[in-house]
Amino acid sequence: MPVSIPVFDGHNDLLLRLQSAPDKRRALFLQRGTEGHLDLPRMREGGFAGGLFAIFVPSPRDPETPDLFSLMAQPPYDVPLPAPLELGPSQATALAQAGTMLWMERASAGGFALCRSAAECRAAMERGAIAGVMHMEGAEAIGPDLDALHVFHALGLRSLGPVWSRPTAFGHGVPLRFPGTPDIGPGLTEAGKALVRECNALGILIDLSHLNEAGFNDVARLSDAPLVATHSNAHALCPSPRNLTDRQLDQIAESGGMVGLNFATFFLRQDGLAARDCGIEPMLRHLDHLISRLGEDHVGFGSDFDGCVVPDAIGDVAGLPTLIDSLRAHGLDTDLLKKLAHRNWFALLERTIGS
């Protein structure tokens, strides 16, 4: 019988889903459900050992405007970028989601642990708790003076992406466009460069997943930490601006960094469709490409659960064993499967947020 392999995942959006339904969050988190991709019972069922849990401030939505996935359903597409967000409301939303993560630890009675180091992640996994690392996707809640960065760090923040797709005080994201290139727009602002230096000083992982190419280049030049894209795929196989070019992958490899495979179908499929009926094969192609450019010690999973459309063959977090079995059938041995599933992430966290 195949060995069960626990999975540590580079990105999910569960916090936003729980915050969006505060009256139902206990049921949504603690009970096995059919909504979204993640809850505690399905995490255990799928062998989900932990991951980076994203704080994300959504843009205000016009009810007359189709949802994002509908706009991305028929390539080619070019979705207008949302306007920048104000600091005050963004901080309030981000603090509420940080509070949700702290609530998850208490409400789960030992089933979930907010972790601040690689050692705490390993210890949580060993005792059967889900290891959660606090991440921030888009730094709208951090002012240019960076004071709030220290507050969130004290709360447990250990990973931060300076931008989502919309611009921030720190830099510019890639557009939601297909086909397209990440080579669009200027690089980091002076505040963004200061943010990189302060994250290095605090031991906060800098996530490159949504940065445009100029911003990526600035981080690569400024940062003394490994380069990391927590949830991105290969541009050579799917020409979305959200995916990484071979040159970027090579830079990440040279830094000793890491890329987490994004499960979103529109970043996997060659045609850029959001359709779920693509099977496992696109995931295998992207993993093969990432491993060929980065090496087997620098690739993992970055599902984007609760923030994307995933292949029907996976469905939700309970479908992770299907991915592991498919990779085994694809020819990957148990040692490499363990690297992809969790060992590479733990080693990366030791090199960035500390052991």
Side-chain angles (χ1 to χ4, degrees), residues 8-12 52 135-137 159-163 174 182 205-212 216 219-220 223 225-235 241-245 247-253 255-263 267 287 290 294 298-304 340 344-345 348-349 351-352:
F8 187 92
D9 181 53
H11 188 90
N12 74 71
L52 274 62
H135 170 72
M136 187 175 284
E137 184 176 31
S159 176
L160 178 145
V163 300
V174 290
L205 182 158
I206 302 166
D207 182 16
L208 302 167
S209 286
H210 284 272
L211 267 175
N212 64 4
F216 178 105
V219 175
S223 179
L227 301 177
V228 182
T230 63
H231 57 306
S232 293
N233 295 336
H235 191 272
R242 270 284 284 108
N243 288 338
L244 298 164
T245 66
R247 182 194 66 81
Q248 290 175 309
L249 294 175
D250 292 345
Q251 281 188 274
I252 292 172
S255 77
M258 183 149 171
V259 175
L261 175 79
N262 194 320
F263 294 6
F267 303 141
L287 270 176
L290 293 175
L294 294 156
H298 303 283
V299 181
F301 302 142
S303 69
D304 212 353
L340 298 176
N344 287 348
W345 271 120
L348 183 280
L349 292 176
R351 298 194 298 274
T352 51

Side-chain angles (χ1 to χ4, degrees), residues 169-243:
F170 306 105
H172 300 266
V174 290
L176 301 171
R177 176 184 299 164
F178 187 90
T181 168
D183 185 13
I184 181 171
L188 297 179
T189 65
E190 289 305 310
K193 295 172 184 177
L195 177 67
V196 169
R197 289 189 285 267
E198 198 66 12
C199 284
N200 282 171
L202 290 170
I204 296 175
L205 182 158
I206 302 166
D207 182 16
L208 302 167
S209 286
H210 284 272
L211 267 175
N212 64 4
E213 191 165 22
F216 178 105
N217 293 340
D218 284 339
V219 175
R221 186 176 66 255
L222 292 166
S223 179
D224 59 16
L227 301 177
V228 182
T230 63
H231 57 306
S232 293
N233 295 336
H235 191 272
L237 301 182
C238 173
S240 165
R242 270 284 284 108
N243 288 338

Side-chain angles (χ1 to χ4, degrees), residues 283-341:
M283 304 179 80
L284 302 180
R285 289 192 305 113
H286 280 268
L287 270 176
D288 285 344
H289 190 87
L290 293 175
I291 292 170
S292 73
R293 305 299 303 204
L294 294 156
E296 64 180 38
D297 295 329
H298 303 283
V299 181
F301 302 142
S303 69
D304 212 353
F305 279 143
D306 278 333
C308 71
V309 177
V310 305
D312 275 344
I314 302 296
D316 60 23
V317 68
L320 285 174
T322 299
L323 175 58
I324 298 297
D325 289 346
S326 297
L327 291 173
R328 186 177 281 111
H330 191 57
L332 279 62
D333 62 25
T334 297
D335 184 61
L336 179 50
L337 288 173
K338 288 181 178 179
K339 287 182 178 183
L340 298 176

